[in-house]
Amino acid sequence: MADITPHETRLDLSQDGAALTATLVDFPSVSGTEQPLADVIEQTLRALPHLTVDRIGNNVVARTNLGRGERIILAGHIDTVPIADNLPSRLDENGVLWGCGTTDMKSGVAVQLRIAATVPEPNRDLTFVFYDNEEVAADLNGLGKVAAAHPEWLEGDFAVLLEPSDCQVEGGCQGTLRVILHTAGERAHSARSWMGSNAIHAVAPILARLAAYEPRKPVIDGLEYHEGLNAVAIQGGVATNVIPDACTVTVNYRYAPDRSPAEALAHVREVFADCDIAELVVDDESPGALPGLSHPAAEAFMKAVGGSAHPKFGWTDVSRFSALGVPAVNYGPGDAFYAHKRDEHVVVDKIHQCEARLRDWLTA
Ligand SMILES: [Zn+2]
């Protein structure tokens, strides 16, 4: 059962992480409807005298100002994907909490709030970021809006995103580049094909390059990444009796974070350098993020949380911190495997474990 109803203005942060997660889950906040939850989080944090609180839109940033030598950012999104008939939350007899947002990522948000409330004198200054619209189009992303409007709110030495990672550290993330390769030809009737030049046939060397391509597996800060260069779409043909004069191949390059977007593009141009390409158009690009695990704050974090780090192959918001010069990792109690699913759930012990390890790191 929810411990608050929407007209109440504060969360009870003395309840344990699991109960707080249930409270947050029972306060629906599907992307685009986060305002009531952002209001409650803001009011709850404003009541804590050791924090200064700022807000833009439905994004709330709270900070300690103790003059410590380092500043750590703990960040999480407060929105969820649409509810799949899986609310209210339900705690079963095996210590598993079920419901929309349990794993992605209200358990992580609960840990942020618990640390905010219970560690008033951390050994490093802390910045807590709660943001909206992570589960929808990138241009709506609240963390991106904060970064654009108030980058100084996100200054720090190291950031932890409490996204579901099953209490494993996931460092950095790969970048992604999508290009469209155009080949050209000359139209002719297929009965007199020698009068034209076939743009679909001109794609053959491009596909041969892709099929033979050997992706890099660079090791960065001890993490092995695994790149990929693949055709993801192909389009061509005018009519069944026409030699086509145009064809396109869409190529997606997922690259390790030791390459910049410009270097990734240069690499793709080089791969196809001696193919007969009429035009290469960049369709989409997002930079990767370095794991930054050699930073002293990150090293201390790894020591405190234990285990080994794993690379993140997909693109995540750690990249937004990386773009601001702040190394970042994912470390949260949820299990990404159950994110966005009807049977979304989180193991309560993981919530306690995540909170305890972060507390150890920030109070040692
Ligand atoms: Zn998430």
Tab-separated table of all heavy atoms in Angstrom, residues 1-6 8 11 15 19-28 88-89:
chain	number	residue	atom	x	y	z
A	1	MET	N	0.838	-1.211	0.000
A	1	MET	CA	0.000	0.000	0.000
A	1	MET	C	0.871	1.259	0.000
A	1	MET	O	1.922	1.296	0.604
A	1	MET	CB	-0.888	0.018	1.257
A	1	MET	CG	-2.094	-0.908	1.175
A	1	MET	SD	-3.209	-0.486	-0.168
A	1	MET	CE	-3.909	1.052	0.458
A	2	ALA	N	0.399	2.266	-0.672
A	2	ALA	CA	1.138	3.532	-0.691
A	2	ALA	C	1.071	4.196	0.671
A	2	ALA	O	0.055	4.144	1.343
A	2	ALA	CB	0.544	4.463	-1.733
A	3	ASP	N	2.191	4.805	1.057
A	3	ASP	CA	2.226	5.526	2.319
A	3	ASP	C	1.904	6.999	2.132
A	3	ASP	O	1.852	7.753	3.080
A	3	ASP	CB	3.590	5.374	2.974
A	3	ASP	CG	3.802	3.948	3.422
A	3	ASP	OD1	2.952	3.436	4.179
A	3	ASP	OD2	4.787	3.343	2.983
A	4	ILE	N	1.789	7.413	0.882
A	4	ILE	CA	1.384	8.795	0.638
A	4	ILE	C	0.300	8.787	-0.421
A	4	ILE	O	0.191	7.862	-1.204
A	4	ILE	CB	2.546	9.680	0.135
A	4	ILE	CG1	3.210	9.011	-1.083
A	4	ILE	CG2	3.550	9.957	1.207
A	4	ILE	CD1	4.114	9.950	-1.812
A	5	THR	N	-0.495	9.795	-0.430
A	5	THR	CA	-1.413	10.020	-1.533
A	5	THR	C	-0.955	11.308	-2.205
A	5	THR	O	-0.243	12.100	-1.595
A	5	THR	CB	-2.861	10.163	-1.020
A	5	THR	OG1	-2.870	11.138	0.009
A	5	THR	CG2	-3.371	8.855	-0.468
A	6	PRO	N	-1.350	11.536	-3.453
A	6	PRO	CA	-0.767	12.659	-4.193
A	6	PRO	C	-0.911	14.022	-3.527
A	6	PRO	O	-0.108	14.896	-3.788
A	6	PRO	CB	-1.516	12.596	-5.521
A	6	PRO	CG	-1.817	11.143	-5.695
A	6	PRO	CD	-2.125	10.653	-4.295
A	8	GLU	N	-0.417	14.673	-0.415
A	8	GLU	CA	0.608	14.842	0.616
A	8	GLU	C	1.882	15.337	-0.024
A	8	GLU	O	2.147	15.086	-1.194
A	8	GLU	CB	0.844	13.527	1.352
A	8	GLU	CG	-0.286	13.218	2.324
A	8	GLU	CD	-0.088	11.902	3.027
A	8	GLU	OE1	-0.545	10.893	2.488
A	8	GLU	OE2	0.519	11.890	4.099
A	11	LEU	N	7.777	12.651	1.375
A	11	LEU	CA	7.997	11.218	1.522
A	11	LEU	C	8.583	10.958	2.899
A	11	LEU	O	9.338	11.790	3.425
A	11	LEU	CB	8.999	10.740	0.468
A	11	LEU	CG	8.559	10.879	-0.993
A	11	LEU	CD1	9.790	10.860	-1.906
A	11	LEU	CD2	7.612	9.754	-1.368
A	15	GLN	N	11.540	5.213	6.367
A	15	GLN	CA	11.225	3.818	6.039
A	15	GLN	C	12.398	3.217	5.267
A	15	GLN	O	13.192	3.942	4.673
A	15	GLN	CB	9.914	3.710	5.254
A	15	GLN	CG	9.809	4.634	4.064
A	15	GLN	CD	8.444	4.605	3.386
A	15	GLN	OE1	7.663	3.678	3.549
A	15	GLN	NE2	8.155	5.620	2.605
A	19	ALA	N	10.579	-0.420	1.406
A	19	ALA	CA	9.276	0.217	1.627
A	19	ALA	C	9.198	1.532	0.861
A	19	ALA	O	8.143	1.866	0.289
A	19	ALA	CB	9.075	0.469	3.128
A	20	LEU	N	10.311	2.254	0.814
A	20	LEU	CA	10.326	3.508	0.072
A	20	LEU	C	10.160	3.249	-1.433
A	20	LEU	O	9.448	3.985	-2.125
A	20	LEU	CB	11.636	4.263	0.351
A	20	LEU	CG	11.790	5.627	-0.317
A	20	LEU	CD1	10.644	6.576	0.035
A	20	LEU	CD2	13.137	6.260	0.073
A	21	THR	N	10.795	2.173	-1.919
A	21	THR	CA	10.613	1.808	-3.331
A	21	THR	C	9.134	1.553	-3.619
A	21	THR	O	8.579	2.042	-4.617
A	21	THR	CB	11.433	0.548	-3.685
A	21	THR	OG1	12.812	0.809	-3.434
A	21	THR	CG2	11.252	0.159	-5.144
A	22	ALA	N	8.478	0.793	-2.727
A	22	ALA	CA	7.049	0.497	-2.916
A	22	ALA	C	6.232	1.784	-2.943
A	22	ALA	O	5.318	1.942	-3.771
A	22	ALA	CB	6.558	-0.442	-1.820
A	23	THR	N	6.569	2.716	-2.045
A	23	THR	CA	5.867	4.006	-2.018
A	23	THR	C	6.007	4.728	-3.355
A	23	THR	O	5.036	5.252	-3.910
A	23	THR	CB	6.430	4.895	-0.891
A	23	THR	OG1	6.247	4.223	0.353
A	23	THR	CG2	5.727	6.242	-0.844
A	24	LEU	N	7.234	4.747	-3.871
A	24	LEU	CA	7.490	5.443	-5.140
A	24	LEU	C	6.792	4.748	-6.313
A	24	LEU	O	6.266	5.391	-7.215
A	24	LEU	CB	9.001	5.528	-5.404
A	24	LEU	CG	9.817	6.377	-4.430
A	24	LEU	CD1	11.314	6.150	-4.644
A	24	LEU	CD2	9.488	7.866	-4.601
A	25	VAL	N	6.804	3.411	-6.279
A	25	VAL	CA	6.166	2.649	-7.362
A	25	VAL	C	4.657	2.899	-7.368
A	25	VAL	O	4.030	2.989	-8.431
A	25	VAL	CB	6.498	1.146	-7.211
A	25	VAL	CG1	5.630	0.287	-8.122
A	25	VAL	CG2	7.981	0.909	-7.523
A	26	ASP	N	4.083	3.053	-6.167
A	26	ASP	CA	2.638	3.279	-6.068
A	26	ASP	C	2.260	4.738	-6.303
A	26	ASP	O	1.104	5.123	-6.109
A	26	ASP	CB	2.135	2.799	-4.704
A	26	ASP	CG	2.218	1.281	-4.585
A	26	ASP	OD1	2.254	0.622	-5.638
A	26	ASP	OD2	2.267	0.771	-3.454
A	27	PHE	N	3.235	5.530	-6.704
A	27	PHE	CA	3.031	6.927	-7.070
A	27	PHE	C	3.383	7.007	-8.559
A	27	PHE	O	4.499	7.336	-8.930
A	27	PHE	CB	3.983	7.798	-6.242
A	27	PHE	CG	3.637	9.252	-6.209
A	27	PHE	CD1	3.330	9.860	-5.001
A	27	PHE	CD2	3.623	10.022	-7.362
A	27	PHE	CE1	3.029	11.210	-4.954
A	27	PHE	CE2	3.321	11.360	-7.326
A	27	PHE	CZ	3.025	11.968	-6.122
A	28	PRO	N	2.432	6.669	-9.450
A	28	PRO	CA	2.775	6.492	-10.871
A	28	PRO	C	3.385	7.761	-11.477
A	28	PRO	O	2.989	8.885	-11.140
A	28	PRO	CB	1.433	6.173	-11.522
A	28	PRO	CG	0.566	5.682	-10.409
A	28	PRO	CD	1.017	6.419	-9.188
A	88	PRO	N	-1.088	-1.816	-8.129
A	88	PRO	CA	-0.024	-1.382	-7.214
A	88	PRO	C	1.061	-2.433	-7.038
A	88	PRO	O	0.921	-3.575	-7.491
A	88	PRO	CB	-0.794	-1.159	-5.901
A	88	PRO	CG	-1.954	-2.083	-5.979
A	88	PRO	CD	-2.351	-2.101	-7.430
A	89	SER	N	2.121	-2.030	-6.384
A	89	SER	CA	3.231	-2.947	-6.152
A	89	SER	C	2.800	-4.080	-5.227
A	89	SER	O	1.807	-3.963	-4.501
A	89	SER	CB	4.403	-2.190	-5.523
A	89	SER	OG	4.025	-1.670	-4.266
